[in-house]
Amino acid sequence: MAALDRVKVLVLGDSGVGKSSLVHLLCQNQVLGNPSWTVGCSVDVRLHEYREGTPEEKTYYIELWDVGGSVGSVSSMKSTRAVFYNGVNGIILVHDLTNKKSSQNLYRWSLEVLNRDLQPTGVLVSNGDYDREHFADNQIPLLVIGTKLDQILEGKRTEVLTRTSFLAEDFNAEEINLDCTSTRCLAAGSSNAVKLSRFYDKVIEKRYYSRDGTTISGFTDRKRFGGGSFKSIHYD
C-alpha cells in the first residue's frame, strides 16, 4: 500500500474545555469515557477522503495535535509549546460554551501560534483589544468548536450561541457547537460533519494544491514519516 500524504492540525484551547474528548471523538468515533489532563502534546490520526464522491477523491491522514497547557503560562512553557507549532497546516480552536473566559482566550491561543508580537491590555472582546484585523492576512485554515452544548439549558442556548457567534466572524472560520458525550453530533450527513469535512478539505488544499487545483510538486511527508499508519503519540 502506498504511503499516504498527511496534514498537521493543531487543537488548541484552555485546559478543561474538552480537547482530548473532542480529538478521541473525531479520530475514533467514540466517546472518551475517562478523559485525563494532557501534559505536553498528544497526537491522534484519522483518515479523510478529500473531495469525497468526486473524480479528485483521495485519502489523506489528518494528524490532530492536542496541545496541553494554559495560555497564560510563563514564557518558558510557551517556548516549549512552540515546538509543536512547527509545520502546522490547520488549527481547531476549542472553547467551553459554559465558560466565557475560554472563548475570549482563543484570541491569545491563535496569536501565540501565529507568532504575533502583540501586548493586549484590558478585556478581550471582539470590538476591543483583538479584532479581525489581527487575522486578516492569516493563511492557515481555522475552525472554531464550542463544546459542552449539552450542559446549557435549552432556554439559555440562544443567548450563549449568540454571544459566541462573533468568534467565527473574527477568525474568518466556520463554527461547530457540539456535545462530546454523543457520537450523534458528528453523524454522517449532519451539518457538523459537513463543516468538519469542508475544513479538512481546505487544509489539504492549502498544503498540497495550488489555486488552480493542480498538485504542488515536491510537497510530501512520506520521507519524513514513512508508510503505514499510527494511532497515538504522547509528548511529555
Side-chain angles (χ1 to χ4, degrees):
M1 178 179 175
L4 298 178
D5 289 320
R6 57 191 73 198
V7 292
K8 176 180 179 179
V9 176
L10 295 177
V11 181
L12 302 176
D14 287 358
S15 297
V17 298
K19 298 190 301 296
S20 296
S21 296
L22 173 65
V23 169
H24 190 79
L25 182 63
L26 294 178
C27 294
Q28 311 302 328
N29 195 32
Q30 296 176 345
V31 174
L32 184 60
N34 188 27
S36 58
W37 297 102
T38 299
V39 179
C41 181
S42 176
V43 183
D44 212 338
V45 181
R46 61 164 289 161
L47 292 175
H48 173 68
E49 298 300 325
Y50 170 71
R51 293 190 178 181
E52 187 173 11
T54 72
E56 295 79 27
E57 181 175 338
K58 182 180 177 180
T59 305
Y60 287 84
Y61 280 128
I62 307 292
E63 295 178 356
L64 295 172
W65 291 56
D66 172 12
V67 180
S70 170
V71 76
S73 55
V74 295
S75 58
S76 60
M77 294 183 65
K78 291 182 180 180
S79 297
T80 300
R81 285 201 299 264
V83 175
F84 307 128
Y85 300 159
N86 294 330
V88 58
N89 305 121
I91 301 174
I92 296 178
L93 298 169
V94 187
H95 65 108
D96 176 353
L97 292 167
T98 69
N99 182 343
K100 186 176 180 179
K101 185 176 181 180
S102 73
S103 304
Q104 296 170 339
N105 280 344
L106 292 186
Y107 295 98
R108 289 181 178 271
W109 279 109
S110 58
L111 291 173
E112 181 176 306
V113 176
L114 299 174
N115 294 316
R116 301 298 179 84
D117 187 20
L118 296 177
Q119 299 298 324
T121 58
V123 180
L124 310 183
V125 293
S126 178
N127 60 351
D129 297 304
Y130 294 115
D131 58 42
R132 64 192 65 181
E133 293 295 325
H134 297 142
F135 308 95
D137 60 349
N138 172 47
Q139 297 299 308
I140 300 176
L142 301 173
L143 177 67
V144 178
I145 296 184
T147 62
K148 306 185 184 181
L149 182 62
D150 56 306
Q151 296 184 22
I152 302 175
L153 297 176
E154 288 286 347
K156 291 285 187 179
R157 287 192 179 183
T158 299
E159 175 186 341
V160 172
L161 297 183
T162 298
R163 171 175 58 80
T164 61
S165 63
F166 67 81
L167 291 168
E169 288 187 41
D170 287 353
F171 291 120
N172 190 28
E174 288 200 280
E175 177 187 35
I176 293 175
N177 297 306
L178 49 74
D179 165 18
C180 291
T181 65
S182 172
T183 58
R184 291 180 297 176
C185 63
L186 290 172
S190 66
S191 174
N192 286 344
V194 170
K195 289 180 181 180
L196 187 63
S197 179
R198 199 154 52 205
F199 168 71
Y200 290 148
D201 278 0
K202 188 174 181 180
V203 172
I204 291 168
E205 285 172 354
K206 287 283 188 180
R207 174 67 174 85
Y208 289 104
Y209 296 86
S210 64
R211 290 185 178 181
D212 62 4
T214 58
T215 303
I216 301 175
S217 62
F219 276 61
T220 178
D221 291 332
R222 291 174 184 170
K223 290 184 179 179
R224 184 157 59 95
F225 290 100
S229 62
F230 60 92
K231 181 178 179 182
S232 183
I233 304 175
H234 293 271
Y235 297 86
D236 297 324

